[in-house]
Amino acid sequence: MNGGPSGFNNAPVTRTFVIACAIFTLSFGIQGGFRKLGLSYQDIFGKLRIWKLIASVFAFSSTPELLFGLYLLYYFRVFERQIGSNKYSVFILFSIAISLVFEVLALGLLKDPTANLLTSGPYGVIFASFVPFFFDIPVSTRFRVFGVRFSDKSFVYLAGLQLLLSSWKRSVLPGMCGIFAGSLYRLNLLSIRKAKFPEFITSFFSRLAWPSSGSPRGATTRSIPGSAPSYPGRHVEKFS
């Protein structure tokens, strides 16, 4: 299961987000700043380190997390192709905002000023995406390994589990906040699934990220017929 056509064709928002995550992570890594990443009660309620909120959205706190995270973001580009770049931009912003609210509330409830309780990275977007992945993407193939049944979706779940447990308690909480955010999006909180940005915003993302090889010049960022993968034997519901 490859999520449709290869590369970032018809997925400029995903491409921009992946590039931003890679740049932020590598920048902190080169400067030896991985140890400074992560959110704590003191960061938010004590010293008001707003820059850490921004870093927590984009920068992973280790190279393995970066690899698994970028793989998942790249795979989930299928949803941008299904609902279009405009609505997918809303999904990303909603997932980031809601998951950050949950994370801040969790820090406020735990009130531990001595430790970085939450790891850094776009966990909100990634784990929010697992909600439509679970409900809307069907299994196309099944197979057995040493008597254990797997499906083509198993590899995505295993990558998500690895990322969720990468920093144990520090990564489980942001992952759960992302799942909550994805659930609220699916429940259409405040009719969020109908919301759209002004067209110039998605056009900006299309111009910001360099074109994918093989993409026609001037191609639109909206979904096109056939851009979402087809799966035999079951209807795929778009989460728009």
Side-chain angles (χ1 to χ4, degrees):
M1 185 168 62
N2 59 12
S6 61
F8 290 103
N9 294 325
N10 305 308
V13 174
T14 301
R15 180 171 57 212
T16 303
F17 196 72
V18 165
I19 292 171
C21 291
I23 290 175
F24 269 77
T25 304
L26 293 175
S27 298
F28 278 99
I30 291 173
Q31 298 173 11
F34 278 153
R35 64 183 181 277
K36 299 178 182 179
L37 295 175
L39 293 176
S40 68
Y41 177 85
Q42 192 68 15
D43 291 329
I44 305 302
F45 297 98
K47 300 180 180 179
L48 296 177
R49 293 172 175 169
I50 304 301
W51 70 268
K52 277 204 166 186
L53 283 175
I54 299 174
S56 70
V57 171
F58 295 103
F60 291 96
S61 58
S62 70
T63 301
E65 291 174 57
L66 173 67
L67 296 177
F68 282 103
L70 292 189
Y71 163 74
L72 290 168
L73 288 172
Y74 177 75
Y75 175 79
F76 289 139
R77 74 200 187 284
V78 62
F79 297 126
E80 182 177 356
R81 290 169 175 166
Q82 284 185 345
I83 67 176
S85 297
N86 197 314
K87 285 190 175 182
Y88 192 68
S89 301
V90 174
F91 172 75
I92 288 179
L93 183 61
F94 180 84
S95 301
I96 290 173
I98 298 300
S99 60
L100 278 179
V101 168
F102 281 129
E103 290 177 23
V104 170
L105 289 175
L107 288 173
L109 291 173
L110 294 172
K111 293 183 180 180
D112 185 351
T114 63
N116 283 343
L117 296 176
L118 305 181
T119 192
S120 179
Y123 282 72
V125 175
I126 292 173
F127 287 95
S129 300
F130 272 101
V131 176
F133 176 75
F134 176 80
F135 287 104
D136 302 334
I137 300 297
V139 171
S140 58
T141 58
R142 298 182 185 274
F143 55 93
R144 289 181 178 269
V145 177
F146 300 113
V148 181
R149 294 187 64 183
F150 292 92
S151 73
D152 52 331
K153 295 176 67 173
S154 299
F155 299 106
V156 181
Y157 284 126
L158 289 174
L161 183 62
Q162 173 66 35
L163 185 63
L164 185 68
L165 302 178
S166 58
S167 298
W168 190 223
K169 293 180 180 180
R170 295 178 63 239
S171 54
V172 168
L173 189 53
M176 294 302 299
C177 291
I179 293 174
F180 291 147
S183 300
L184 291 178
Y185 184 90
R186 184 172 182 82
L187 291 172
N188 201 22
L189 180 69
L190 301 176
S191 299
I192 187 63
R193 291 165 69 172
K194 296 181 180 179
K196 286 186 176 183
F197 286 122
E199 194 62 33
F200 74 88
I201 294 180
T202 49
S203 298
F204 169 76
F205 282 116
S206 181
R207 295 187 183 96
L208 182 64
W210 56 76
S212 300
S213 59
S215 297
R217 185 175 181 179
T220 178
T221 61
R222 296 177 180 176
S223 317
I224 60 174
S227 63
S230 59
Y231 298 92
R234 181 174 165 187
H235 174 68
V236 178
E237 177 188 352
K238 296 183 180 181
F239 74 118
S240 59

